[in-house]
Amino acid sequence: MTVVYIESAALPTHLGEFVLHGFEDPDTGKEHVALTMGEVTDNQPVLCRLHSECLTGDALFSLRCDCGPQLEAALTQIAEEGRGMLLYLRQEGRGIGLINKIRAYKLQDGGADTVEANERLGFDADLRDYSMCKFMFAHFQIQRVRLMTNNPLKTNALTKLGIEVVDRIPLLSGHNDHNARYLATKAGKLGHLLNHQD
């Protein structure tokens, strides 16, 4: 997957002023963005988060997942440090899309966990592809990151793309009664490192 840089603009937020950078996959038309704060092209490891789109959690405040709180926690850490980057990747529902995600939610309402629901719909547990990150990091000449994640697969994906992960920073936020089983499944079946589930 190749993505090309399109344009950048200021993005003031309640956490501080970021710069929003747009990228597009010319083959699919899918758009991804990078949010940066401070100088990220100085060859020092960059505090970074790879965040896959979650309309329900990021924009609609769903308690079924921990995505919204993780997004805010990551941007807060970047703002507190005054330097960092968040890649917002358009791969809803671990890559199955929004409508299929709603179908998976319905199966979860009937007792399936998040992995079982995806599999019953004919999908793998996680279809996300991080290859676009290589081109996004290359645009900023970033080769080393301090990655905010609980997911070892993201660390491994970046390593395979030639990005050095010098540190993994946990993002343990958003735990509630509605997503306790979801988080337990992420830890037990997908290998996420969630201290409150250990």
Side-chain angles (χ1 to χ4, degrees):
M1 178 187 298
T2 301
V3 296
V4 295
Y5 167 75
I6 305 298
E7 188 56 277
S8 301
L11 187 73
T13 75
H14 71 283
L15 297 171
E17 184 156 318
F18 292 84
V19 179
L20 182 67
H21 311 268
F23 295 81
E24 184 177 37
D25 180 339
D27 295 326
T28 65
K30 190 168 282 191
E31 300 160 331
H32 308 280
V33 298
L35 276 170
T36 63
M37 179 178 282
E39 178 55 64
V40 297
T41 60
D42 58 3
N43 295 320
Q44 296 301 311
V46 175
L47 180 64
C48 180
R49 164 81 178 157
L50 310 183
H51 191 90
S52 295
E53 178 181 39
C54 177
L55 177 72
T56 49
D58 298 340
L60 302 178
F61 316 110
S62 170
L63 296 177
R64 297 183 76 133
C65 64
D66 55 347
C67 301
Q70 284 191 328
L71 176 62
E72 184 164 11
L75 291 175
T76 298
Q77 287 191 46
I78 291 170
E80 288 174 350
E81 192 159 303
R83 177 180 179 272
M85 167 184 286
L86 183 137
L87 302 187
Y88 196 87
L89 310 173
R90 305 295 298 280
Q91 39 192 3
E92 180 81 45
R94 295 200 195 109
I96 68 175
L98 180 60
I99 298 302
N100 282 322
K101 180 181 179 178
I102 296 171
R103 292 186 176 113
Y105 275 174
K106 180 64 174 178
L107 291 173
Q108 291 170 43
D109 289 343
D113 67 33
T114 180
V115 170
E116 292 165 348
N118 276 23
E119 291 174 345
R120 287 184 195 176
L121 291 172
F123 300 108
D124 289 338
D126 193 338
L127 293 174
R128 288 177 292 181
D129 176 9
Y130 298 103
S131 58
M132 77 286 283
C133 300
K134 178 177 181 178
F135 301 94
M136 297 171 80
F137 283 129
H139 174 76
F140 300 98
Q141 301 177 346
I142 292 173
Q143 296 179 329
R144 297 185 297 159
V145 298
R146 296 159 49 222
L147 189 63
M148 291 181 281
T149 188
N150 304 323
N151 186 354
L153 293 179
K154 289 184 180 179
T155 303
N156 295 339
L158 289 191
T159 300
K160 289 179 182 177
L161 293 173
I163 303 298
E164 181 184 357
V165 179
V166 301
D167 191 18
R168 183 189 73 84
I169 301 168
L171 274 182
L172 302 175
S173 57
H175 183 251
N176 64 73
D177 291 341
H178 296 279
N179 66 20
R181 187 182 183 207
Y182 164 84
L183 293 176
T185 300
K186 288 212 298 186
K189 291 189 174 182
L190 299 174
H192 289 223
L193 304 173
L194 304 176
N195 291 342
H196 54 248
Q197 294 293 333
D198 293 343

